[in-house]
Amino acid sequence: MSNKKECIFKSGFLIEYKVIKKLKDSSNGTIYLVQDEIGDEYIIKLFNKNITSEKLIRFKNEINFGKFHKHKNIISIIDNGLKMDGDKEYM
């Protein structure tokens, strides 16, 4: 039996995303493969709370760009918010 705590992200639309696996770690944050309540899979990019304000501005610009620009070479942003414990932003 695992003592590992299950990680869940809850969106502003009350959709829960369960972490399937960690895909990448970097100095800015972590990228996860997640699954919603009906089994669809997505990627969540979770930023560390200690990133610089300049990187946070770039992150928010990336969110806005992805939300409003649709193209086959641009990743679509379907949701963004705060992790349930409120200390990290995600998209």
Side-chain angles (χ1 to χ4, degrees):
M1 181 179 221
S2 174
N3 291 334
K4 199 173 186 180
K5 185 180 174 186
E6 184 177 75
C7 185
I8 297 200
F9 300 91
K10 187 177 278 189
S11 79
F13 302 111
L14 301 179
I15 298 169
E16 290 189 355
Y17 300 98
K18 178 180 157 187
V19 172
I20 304 301
K21 68 178 177 179
K22 186 187 302 186
L23 299 176
K24 182 179 179 184
D25 266 325
S26 74
S27 60
N28 292 330
T30 308
I31 298 174
Y32 295 97
L33 173 64
V34 299
Q35 191 174 56
D36 69 9
E37 296 154 330
I38 61 171
D40 292 334
E41 292 184 344
Y42 300 94
I43 301 296
I44 285 186
K45 187 175 188 178
L46 180 67
F47 275 76
N48 293 329
K49 64 181 176 181
N50 61 350
I51 63 171
T52 65
S53 58
E54 180 181 310
K55 287 182 180 181
L56 184 59
I57 290 168
R58 286 193 349 229
F59 171 60
K60 289 182 178 184
N61 286 340
E62 184 179 345
I63 290 170
N64 287 328
F65 187 85
K67 278 185 175 179
F68 300 109
H69 294 84
K70 304 299 178 201
H71 187 274
K72 66 179 182 174
N73 294 333
I74 297 173
I75 295 173
S76 297
I77 306 296
I78 60 162
D79 196 3
N80 68 286
L82 293 175
K83 188 171 172 280
M84 282 182 71
D85 58 16
D87 71 345
K88 295 182 181 182
E89 293 203 46
Y90 75 87
M91 73 172 171

